[in-house]
Amino acid sequence: MTGAAGPAEGASRSGIHGEDRGVRGGMPSSSLSALRGPAVRRLLTLRQEQEPTSRHVRLMAQSLEVTERTVWRWLAAAERDEAAAAEPGARAQSKDRFSVTPEVRRLLALWKGNVAAVHRELIARAARGEGDPPPSIPTLHRAIRRDLTPVRLLTSVSL
């Protein structure tokens, strides 16, 4: 028998149960991400000509392997901001986002990598008027993951 293998014939649904994390539906997830912008721009064009139907949005969502609600959110964001149409779903980059400072690195070393202790120390210092109010703990965690490689984090902690 020739033809494509069906689900019962060994074709895996990637992304499920941790298998083939970089490939979904036969396409790498980076390729699916690259298709988001053109898809949203096409839906915006349809919206100018006529209201895109739920069928259009459903088709795009299935093609990009996201939910319909996600596509509707991308459309709404793209109508508010042209930059959102170029990279739908991308996290907004803010110039004033928190980043790890040398002081935070020293505190990480002092508290042996304990982010909650670093946060408590930053709160205490701010209360004494020795600095700005600290970010939330999740923001502090995100900044540490983003700004410090595991090796840098390890060398900060072992100082």
Side-chain angles (χ1 to χ4, degrees), residues 100-130:
V100 175
T101 63
E103 181 62 18
V104 171
R105 288 184 67 176
R106 282 192 289 278
L107 288 172
L108 276 169
L110 175 69
W111 292 104
K112 296 181 173 44
N114 186 332
V115 178
V118 170
H119 189 260
R120 284 191 299 271
E121 181 71 26
L122 290 172
I123 288 173
R125 288 180 181 192
R128 293 189 304 259
E130 298 176 7

PDB file of all heavy atoms in Angstrom, residues 100-130:
ATOM      1  N   VAL A 100      19.670  42.045  34.950  1.00  0.00           N
ATOM      2  CA  VAL A 100      20.534  41.702  36.075  1.00  0.00           C
ATOM      3  C   VAL A 100      21.686  42.694  36.144  1.00  0.00           C
ATOM      4  O   VAL A 100      22.409  42.901  35.169  1.00  0.00           O
ATOM      5  CB  VAL A 100      21.066  40.256  35.937  1.00  0.00           C
ATOM      6  CG1 VAL A 100      22.067  39.936  37.037  1.00  0.00           C
ATOM      7  CG2 VAL A 100      19.915  39.272  35.963  1.00  0.00           C
ATOM      8  N   THR A 101      21.828  43.307  37.285  1.00  0.00           N
ATOM      9  CA  THR A 101      22.894  44.279  37.532  1.00  0.00           C
ATOM     10  C   THR A 101      24.038  43.600  38.268  1.00  0.00           C
ATOM     11  O   THR A 101      23.867  42.500  38.816  1.00  0.00           O
ATOM     12  CB  THR A 101      22.365  45.446  38.382  1.00  0.00           C
ATOM     13  OG1 THR A 101      21.962  44.917  39.652  1.00  0.00           O
ATOM     14  CG2 THR A 101      21.205  46.155  37.703  1.00  0.00           C
ATOM     15  N   PRO A 102      25.207  44.244  38.318  1.00  0.00           N
ATOM     16  CA  PRO A 102      26.303  43.668  39.117  1.00  0.00           C
ATOM     17  C   PRO A 102      25.909  43.475  40.583  1.00  0.00           C
ATOM     18  O   PRO A 102      26.330  42.507  41.218  1.00  0.00           O
ATOM     19  CB  PRO A 102      27.423  44.701  38.980  1.00  0.00           C
ATOM     20  CG  PRO A 102      27.151  45.358  37.657  1.00  0.00           C
ATOM     21  CD  PRO A 102      25.658  45.399  37.540  1.00  0.00           C
ATOM     22  N   GLU A 103      25.067  44.383  41.117  1.00  0.00           N
ATOM     23  CA  GLU A 103      24.611  44.242  42.492  1.00  0.00           C
ATOM     24  C   GLU A 103      23.779  42.975  42.679  1.00  0.00           C
ATOM     25  O   GLU A 103      23.935  42.246  43.661  1.00  0.00           O
ATOM     26  CB  GLU A 103      23.803  45.474  42.915  1.00  0.00           C
ATOM     27  CG  GLU A 103      23.302  45.422  44.329  1.00  0.00           C
ATOM     28  CD  GLU A 103      24.427  45.370  45.368  1.00  0.00           C
ATOM     29  OE1 GLU A 103      25.580  45.708  45.046  1.00  0.00           O
ATOM     30  OE2 GLU A 103      24.136  44.966  46.503  1.00  0.00           O
ATOM     31  N   VAL A 104      22.886  42.687  41.718  1.00  0.00           N
ATOM     32  CA  VAL A 104      22.077  41.464  41.791  1.00  0.00           C
ATOM     33  C   VAL A 104      22.984  40.242  41.698  1.00  0.00           C
ATOM     34  O   VAL A 104      22.778  39.257  42.416  1.00  0.00           O
ATOM     35  CB  VAL A 104      20.980  41.447  40.700  1.00  0.00           C
ATOM     36  CG1 VAL A 104      20.297  40.100  40.622  1.00  0.00           C
ATOM     37  CG2 VAL A 104      19.965  42.550  40.956  1.00  0.00           C
ATOM     38  N   ARG A 105      24.012  40.316  40.865  1.00  0.00           N
ATOM     39  CA  ARG A 105      24.963  39.192  40.775  1.00  0.00           C
ATOM     40  C   ARG A 105      25.677  38.970  42.101  1.00  0.00           C
ATOM     41  O   ARG A 105      25.863  37.839  42.543  1.00  0.00           O
ATOM     42  CB  ARG A 105      25.982  39.439  39.660  1.00  0.00           C
ATOM     43  CG  ARG A 105      25.374  39.300  38.278  1.00  0.00           C
ATOM     44  CD  ARG A 105      26.386  39.437  37.219  1.00  0.00           C
ATOM     45  NE  ARG A 105      27.305  38.297  37.300  1.00  0.00           N
ATOM     46  CZ  ARG A 105      28.270  38.080  36.452  1.00  0.00           C
ATOM     47  NH1 ARG A 105      28.468  38.907  35.456  1.00  0.00           N
ATOM     48  NH2 ARG A 105      29.056  37.046  36.576  1.00  0.00           N
ATOM     49  N   ARG A 106      26.077  40.081  42.765  1.00  0.00           N
ATOM     50  CA  ARG A 106      26.744  39.947  44.070  1.00  0.00           C
ATOM     51  C   ARG A 106      25.783  39.329  45.096  1.00  0.00           C
ATOM     52  O   ARG A 106      26.181  38.477  45.893  1.00  0.00           O
ATOM     53  CB  ARG A 106      27.245  41.308  44.541  1.00  0.00           C
ATOM     54  CG  ARG A 106      28.535  41.752  43.855  1.00  0.00           C
ATOM     55  CD  ARG A 106      29.149  42.948  44.538  1.00  0.00           C
ATOM     56  NE  ARG A 106      28.379  44.176  44.336  1.00  0.00           N
ATOM     57  CZ  ARG A 106      28.447  44.953  43.256  1.00  0.00           C
ATOM     58  NH1 ARG A 106      29.249  44.630  42.266  1.00  0.00           N
ATOM     59  NH2 ARG A 106      27.712  46.040  43.173  1.00  0.00           N
ATOM     60  N   LEU A 107      24.525  39.778  45.072  1.00  0.00           N
ATOM     61  CA  LEU A 107      23.550  39.219  46.004  1.00  0.00           C
ATOM     62  C   LEU A 107      23.284  37.740  45.715  1.00  0.00           C
ATOM     63  O   LEU A 107      23.100  36.945  46.638  1.00  0.00           O
ATOM     64  CB  LEU A 107      22.244  40.015  45.965  1.00  0.00           C
ATOM     65  CG  LEU A 107      22.315  41.402  46.593  1.00  0.00           C
ATOM     66  CD1 LEU A 107      21.037  42.172  46.323  1.00  0.00           C
ATOM     67  CD2 LEU A 107      22.601  41.311  48.075  1.00  0.00           C
ATOM     68  N   LEU A 108      23.277  37.373  44.437  1.00  0.00           N
ATOM     69  CA  LEU A 108      23.121  35.951  44.089  1.00  0.00           C
ATOM     70  C   LEU A 108      24.273  35.133  44.662  1.00  0.00           C
ATOM     71  O   LEU A 108      24.076  34.017  45.154  1.00  0.00           O
ATOM     72  CB  LEU A 108      23.057  35.763  42.574  1.00  0.00           C
ATOM     73  CG  LEU A 108      21.715  35.962  41.916  1.00  0.00           C
ATOM     74  CD1 LEU A 108      21.858  36.019  40.403  1.00  0.00           C
ATOM     75  CD2 LEU A 108      20.753  34.862  42.319  1.00  0.00           C
ATOM     76  N   ALA A 109      25.482  35.690  44.599  1.00  0.00           N
ATOM     77  CA  ALA A 109      26.634  34.994  45.166  1.00  0.00           C
ATOM     78  C   ALA A 109      26.510  34.911  46.687  1.00  0.00           C
ATOM     79  O   ALA A 109      26.747  33.856  47.287  1.00  0.00           O
ATOM     80  CB  ALA A 109      27.919  35.719  44.778  1.00  0.00           C
ATOM     81  N   LEU A 110      26.112  36.022  47.313  1.00  0.00           N
ATOM     82  CA  LEU A 110      25.968  36.048  48.765  1.00  0.00           C
ATOM     83  C   LEU A 110      24.936  35.032  49.247  1.00  0.00           C
ATOM     84  O   LEU A 110      25.158  34.313  50.217  1.00  0.00           O
ATOM     85  CB  LEU A 110      25.551  37.456  49.218  1.00  0.00           C
ATOM     86  CG  LEU A 110      25.238  37.625  50.698  1.00  0.00           C
ATOM     87  CD1 LEU A 110      26.523  37.492  51.517  1.00  0.00           C
ATOM     88  CD2 LEU A 110      24.574  38.966  50.947  1.00  0.00           C
ATOM     89  N   TRP A 111      23.809  34.944  48.525  1.00  0.00           N
ATOM     90  CA  TRP A 111      22.721  34.058  48.930  1.00  0.00           C
ATOM     91  C   TRP A 111      22.754  32.720  48.203  1.00  0.00           C
ATOM     92  O   TRP A 111      21.770  31.990  48.194  1.00  0.00           O
ATOM     93  CB  TRP A 111      21.372  34.754  48.722  1.00  0.00           C
ATOM     94  CG  TRP A 111      21.188  35.898  49.666  1.00  0.00           C
ATOM     95  CD1 TRP A 111      21.299  37.221  49.376  1.00  0.00           C
ATOM     96  CD2 TRP A 111      20.904  35.810  51.049  1.00  0.00           C
ATOM     97  NE1 TRP A 111      21.094  37.979  50.500  1.00  0.00           N
ATOM     98  CE2 TRP A 111      20.845  37.123  51.547  1.00  0.00           C
ATOM     99  CE3 TRP A 111      20.702  34.760  51.930  1.00  0.00           C
ATOM    100  CZ2 TRP A 111      20.584  37.412  52.881  1.00  0.00           C
ATOM    101  CZ3 TRP A 111      20.437  35.049  53.260  1.00  0.00           C
ATOM    102  CH2 TRP A 111      20.378  36.367  53.726  1.00  0.00           C
ATOM    103  N   LYS A 112      23.896  32.396  47.576  1.00  0.00           N
ATOM    104  CA  LYS A 112      24.128  31.095  46.936  1.00  0.00           C
ATOM    105  C   LYS A 112      23.033  30.715  45.938  1.00  0.00           C
ATOM    106  O   LYS A 112      22.549  29.590  45.906  1.00  0.00           O
ATOM    107  CB  LYS A 112      24.293  29.995  47.988  1.00  0.00           C
ATOM    108  CG  LYS A 112      25.508  30.195  48.865  1.00  0.00           C
ATOM    109  CD  LYS A 112      25.625  29.090  49.857  1.00  0.00           C
ATOM    110  CE  LYS A 112      26.867  29.100  50.661  1.00  0.00           C
ATOM    111  NZ  LYS A 112      27.381  30.261  51.222  1.00  0.00           N
ATOM    112  N   GLY A 113      22.614  31.707  45.145  1.00  0.00           N
ATOM    113  CA  GLY A 113      21.647  31.448  44.085  1.00  0.00           C
ATOM    114  C   GLY A 113      20.195  31.465  44.522  1.00  0.00           C
ATOM    115  O   GLY A 113      19.311  31.214  43.709  1.00  0.00           O
ATOM    116  N   ASN A 114      19.905  31.786  45.766  1.00  0.00           N
ATOM    117  CA  ASN A 114      18.538  31.810  46.275  1.00  0.00           C
ATOM    118  C   ASN A 114      17.867  33.122  45.840  1.00  0.00           C
ATOM    119  O   ASN A 114      18.094  34.180  46.431  1.00  0.00           O
ATOM    120  CB  ASN A 114      18.549  31.680  47.798  1.00  0.00           C
ATOM    121  CG  ASN A 114      17.171  31.563  48.377  1.00  0.00           C
ATOM    122  OD1 ASN A 114      16.200  32.054  47.822  1.00  0.00           O
ATOM    123  ND2 ASN A 114      17.098  30.922  49.532  1.00  0.00           N
ATOM    124  N   VAL A 115      17.035  33.040  44.806  1.00  0.00           N
ATOM    125  CA  VAL A 115      16.417  34.234  44.223  1.00  0.00           C
ATOM    126  C   VAL A 115      15.447  34.877  45.206  1.00  0.00           C
ATOM    127  O   VAL A 115      15.355  36.104  45.290  1.00  0.00           O
ATOM    128  CB  VAL A 115      15.730  33.897  42.884  1.00  0.00           C
ATOM    129  CG1 VAL A 115      15.043  35.113  42.299  1.00  0.00           C
ATOM    130  CG2 VAL A 115      16.746  33.348  41.894  1.00  0.00           C
ATOM    131  N   ALA A 116      14.722  34.088  45.975  1.00  0.00           N
ATOM    132  CA  ALA A 116      13.795  34.651  46.966  1.00  0.00           C
ATOM    133  C   ALA A 116      14.556  35.463  48.016  1.00  0.00           C
ATOM    134  O   ALA A 116      14.102  36.539  48.423  1.00  0.00           O
ATOM    135  CB  ALA A 116      12.983  33.543  47.621  1.00  0.00           C
ATOM    136  N   ALA A 117      15.718  34.973  48.446  1.00  0.00           N
ATOM    137  CA  ALA A 117      16.527  35.710  49.421  1.00  0.00           C
ATOM    138  C   ALA A 117      17.059  37.005  48.801  1.00  0.00           C
ATOM    139  O   ALA A 117      17.095  38.048  49.467  1.00  0.00           O
ATOM    140  CB  ALA A 117      17.675  34.833  49.921  1.00  0.00           C
ATOM    141  N   VAL A 118      17.470  36.946  47.552  1.00  0.00           N
ATOM    142  CA  VAL A 118      17.925  38.153  46.848  1.00  0.00           C
ATOM    143  C   VAL A 118      16.779  39.164  46.788  1.00  0.00           C
ATOM    144  O   VAL A 118      16.975  40.358  47.053  1.00  0.00           O
ATOM    145  CB  VAL A 118      18.431  37.808  45.426  1.00  0.00           C
ATOM    146  CG1 VAL A 118      18.674  39.073  44.607  1.00  0.00           C
ATOM    147  CG2 VAL A 118      19.698  36.967  45.506  1.00  0.00           C
ATOM    148  N   HIS A 119      15.587  38.687  46.482  1.00  0.00           N
ATOM    149  CA  HIS A 119      14.423  39.572  46.405  1.00  0.00           C
ATOM    150  C   HIS A 119      14.143  40.207  47.766  1.00  0.00           C
ATOM    151  O   HIS A 119      13.888  41.422  47.854  1.00  0.00           O
ATOM    152  CB  HIS A 119      13.209  38.782  45.900  1.00  0.00           C
ATOM    153  CG  HIS A 119      12.044  39.630  45.591  1.00  0.00           C
ATOM    154  ND1 HIS A 119      10.985  39.777  46.458  1.00  0.00           N
ATOM    155  CD2 HIS A 119      11.772  40.417  44.518  1.00  0.00           C
ATOM    156  CE1 HIS A 119      10.109  40.605  45.924  1.00  0.00           C
ATOM    157  NE2 HIS A 119      10.566  41.009  44.748  1.00  0.00           N
ATOM    158  N   ARG A 120      14.197  39.424  48.834  1.00  0.00           N
ATOM    159  CA  ARG A 120      13.986  39.970  50.184  1.00  0.00           C
ATOM    160  C   ARG A 120      15.029  41.035  50.513  1.00  0.00           C
ATOM    161  O   ARG A 120      14.717  42.080  51.085  1.00  0.00           O
ATOM    162  CB  ARG A 120      14.025  38.861  51.231  1.00  0.00           C
ATOM    163  CG  ARG A 120      12.779  38.011  51.266  1.00  0.00           C
ATOM    164  CD  ARG A 120      12.747  37.109  52.484  1.00  0.00           C
ATOM    165  NE  ARG A 120      13.864  36.176  52.536  1.00  0.00           N
ATOM    166  CZ  ARG A 120      13.858  34.965  51.995  1.00  0.00           C
ATOM    167  NH1 ARG A 120      12.786  34.531  51.354  1.00  0.00           N
ATOM    168  NH2 ARG A 120      14.907  34.184  52.098  1.00  0.00           N
ATOM    169  N   GLU A 121      16.264  40.786  50.139  1.00  0.00           N
ATOM    170  CA  GLU A 121      17.346  41.749  50.376  1.00  0.00           C
ATOM    171  C   GLU A 121      17.101  43.039  49.585  1.00  0.00           C
ATOM    172  O   GLU A 121      17.288  44.141  50.117  1.00  0.00           O
ATOM    173  CB  GLU A 121      18.689  41.133  49.984  1.00  0.00           C
ATOM    174  CG  GLU A 121      19.874  42.034  50.208  1.00  0.00           C
ATOM    175  CD  GLU A 121      20.203  42.247  51.678  1.00  0.00           C
ATOM    176  OE1 GLU A 121      19.881  41.379  52.501  1.00  0.00           O
ATOM    177  OE2 GLU A 121      20.783  43.307  51.991  1.00  0.00           O
ATOM    178  N   LEU A 122      16.670  42.914  48.343  1.00  0.00           N
ATOM    179  CA  LEU A 122      16.382  44.107  47.536  1.00  0.00           C
ATOM    180  C   LEU A 122      15.219  44.906  48.128  1.00  0.00           C
ATOM    181  O   LEU A 122      15.243  46.141  48.120  1.00  0.00           O
ATOM    182  CB  LEU A 122      16.078  43.706  46.090  1.00  0.00           C
ATOM    183  CG  LEU A 122      17.258  43.176  45.277  1.00  0.00           C
ATOM    184  CD1 LEU A 122      16.777  42.634  43.936  1.00  0.00           C
ATOM    185  CD2 LEU A 122      18.307  44.263  45.079  1.00  0.00           C
ATOM    186  N   ILE A 123      14.215  44.216  48.652  1.00  0.00           N
ATOM    187  CA  ILE A 123      13.075  44.889  49.297  1.00  0.00           C
ATOM    188  C   ILE A 123      13.551  45.634  50.548  1.00  0.00           C
ATOM    189  O   ILE A 123      13.180  46.793  50.777  1.00  0.00           O
ATOM    190  CB  ILE A 123      11.967  43.879  49.659  1.00  0.00           C
ATOM    191  CG1 ILE A 123      11.258  43.403  48.393  1.00  0.00           C
ATOM    192  CG2 ILE A 123      10.958  44.488  50.630  1.00  0.00           C
ATOM    193  CD1 ILE A 123      10.261  42.291  48.627  1.00  0.00           C
ATOM    194  N   ALA A 124      14.402  44.983  51.345  1.00  0.00           N
ATOM    195  CA  ALA A 124      14.913  45.620  52.566  1.00  0.00           C
ATOM    196  C   ALA A 124      15.738  46.851  52.226  1.00  0.00           C
ATOM    197  O   ALA A 124      15.621  47.894  52.879  1.00  0.00           O
ATOM    198  CB  ALA A 124      15.746  44.612  53.372  1.00  0.00           C
ATOM    199  N   ARG A 125      16.560  46.763  51.194  1.00  0.00           N
ATOM    200  CA  ARG A 125      17.378  47.910  50.794  1.00  0.00           C
ATOM    201  C   ARG A 125      16.509  49.051  50.293  1.00  0.00           C
ATOM    202  O   ARG A 125      16.778  50.214  50.583  1.00  0.00           O
ATOM    203  CB  ARG A 125      18.380  47.494  49.724  1.00  0.00           C
ATOM    204  CG  ARG A 125      19.479  46.627  50.273  1.00  0.00           C
ATOM    205  CD  ARG A 125      20.457  46.217  49.213  1.00  0.00           C
ATOM    206  NE  ARG A 125      21.478  45.355  49.778  1.00  0.00           N
ATOM    207  CZ  ARG A 125      22.589  45.028  49.165  1.00  0.00           C
ATOM    208  NH1 ARG A 125      22.826  45.486  47.957  1.00  0.00           N
ATOM    209  NH2 ARG A 125      23.471  44.257  49.751  1.00  0.00           N
ATOM    210  N   ALA A 126      15.472  48.731  49.540  1.00  0.00           N
ATOM    211  CA  ALA A 126      14.567  49.771  49.041  1.00  0.00           C
ATOM    212  C   ALA A 126      13.835  50.439  50.206  1.00  0.00           C
ATOM    213  O   ALA A 126      13.614  51.659  50.197  1.00  0.00           O
ATOM    214  CB  ALA A 126      13.572  49.179  48.051  1.00  0.00           C
ATOM    215  N   ALA A 127      13.472  49.665  51.222  1.00  0.00           N
ATOM    216  CA  ALA A 127      12.792  50.221  52.395  1.00  0.00           C
ATOM    217  C   ALA A 127      13.697  51.179  53.155  1.00  0.00           C
ATOM    218  O   ALA A 127      13.228  52.154  53.744  1.00  0.00           O
ATOM    219  CB  ALA A 127      12.321  49.093  53.312  1.00  0.00           C
ATOM    220  N   ARG A 128      15.006  50.905  53.149  1.00  0.00           N
ATOM    221  CA  ARG A 128      15.966  51.793  53.800  1.00  0.00           C
ATOM    222  C   ARG A 128      16.341  52.974  52.906  1.00  0.00           C
ATOM    223  O   ARG A 128      17.143  53.805  53.301  1.00  0.00           O
ATOM    224  CB  ARG A 128      17.232  51.019  54.164  1.00  0.00           C
ATOM    225  CG  ARG A 128      17.036  49.971  55.230  1.00  0.00           C
ATOM    226  CD  ARG A 128      18.350  49.383  55.719  1.00  0.00           C
ATOM    227  NE  ARG A 128      19.181  48.825  54.671  1.00  0.00           N
ATOM    228  CZ  ARG A 128      19.287  47.524  54.382  1.00  0.00           C
ATOM    229  NH1 ARG A 128      18.591  46.633  55.073  1.00  0.00           N
ATOM    230  NH2 ARG A 128      20.073  47.111  53.413  1.00  0.00           N
ATOM    231  N   GLY A 129      15.791  53.013  51.684  1.00  0.00           N
ATOM    232  CA  GLY A 129      16.094  54.104  50.757  1.00  0.00           C
ATOM    233  C   GLY A 129      17.398  53.930  50.011  1.00  0.00           C
ATOM    234  O   GLY A 129      17.961  54.889  49.496  1.00  0.00           O
ATOM    235  N   GLU A 130      17.881  52.701  49.937  1.00  0.00           N
ATOM    236  CA  GLU A 130      19.167  52.420  49.287  1.00  0.00           C
ATOM    237  C   GLU A 130      19.030  51.968  47.848  1.00  0.00           C
ATOM    238  O   GLU A 130      19.975  51.437  47.277  1.00  0.00           O
ATOM    239  CB  GLU A 130      19.920  51.358  50.082  1.00  0.00           C
ATOM    240  CG  GLU A 130      20.274  51.772  51.482  1.00  0.00           C
ATOM    241  CD  GLU A 130      20.931  50.647  52.265  1.00  0.00           C
ATOM    242  OE1 GLU A 130      21.230  49.597  51.671  1.00  0.00           O
ATOM    243  OE2 GLU A 130      21.131  50.820  53.471  1.00  0.00           O
TER     244      GLU A 130
END
